[in-house]
Amino acid sequence: MTFSATLDTTIPGIAKITLAGSLDASTASVFREAVEKAATATPQRLVLMMEELEYMASAGLRVLLFTKQKMGEHTDIYMIGTQEMVKGTIEKTGFHQSVIMLDEYDAAEIENV
């Protein structure tokens, strides 16, 4: 399956990236570019919509680490709707402790910037 990372910055203070498909070494640069574009807006919250992300290899984990560093300590990172296989990978690495994982988008929590 192909991969896409679509950036949406229509809500002030929030950058949302929707991930879909398989995130691996051949597609990680697409995700990284979306993160770099999002960072230029210096959002208070970065929301990763992950319901359609079916697979994530170690290259995807590296981009997540880059994301955390690029956004800095003043940006909250949310991971929404992470599928079990991807969620398991994130939890095994301990990365889940540095982000906020939600089953579904909660506008009351996320959009209160």
Side-chain angles (χ1 to χ4, degrees):
M1 177 177 218
T2 60
F3 175 77
S4 66
T6 308
L7 175 62
D8 177 5
T9 56
T10 57
I11 301 171
I14 298 173
K16 185 188 300 182
I17 301 174
T18 301
L19 305 173
S22 294
L23 177 54
D24 57 25
S26 67
T27 58
S29 63
V30 175
F31 181 26
R32 185 180 174 114
E33 287 174 17
V35 169
E36 289 175 345
K37 287 180 187 175
T40 63
T42 58
Q44 293 172 318
R45 301 216 167 92
L46 174 66
V47 179
L48 302 176
M49 302 298 294
M50 301 182 70
E51 296 97 342
E52 296 178 34
L53 183 64
E54 297 174 358
Y55 173 78
M56 183 171 58
S58 60
L61 289 170
R62 285 191 295 276
V63 178
L64 286 176
L65 291 172
F66 165 80
T67 300
K68 188 70 176 163
Q69 293 170 343
K70 186 76 172 174
M71 291 297 163
E73 62 185 51
H74 300 293
T75 301
D76 294 326
I77 299 176
Y78 288 81
M79 300 177 103
I80 311 299
T82 309
Q83 292 190 25
E84 287 304 314
M85 189 167 93
V86 174
K87 188 176 187 177
T89 300
I90 292 167
E91 289 174 344
K92 286 176 187 169
T93 64
F95 190 76
H96 68 289
Q97 296 177 7
S98 62
V99 297
I100 301 161
M101 297 184 84
L102 300 174
D103 291 334
E104 55 189 47
Y105 190 90
D106 181 355
E109 178 177 345
I110 296 169
E111 296 176 12
N112 186 21
V113 288

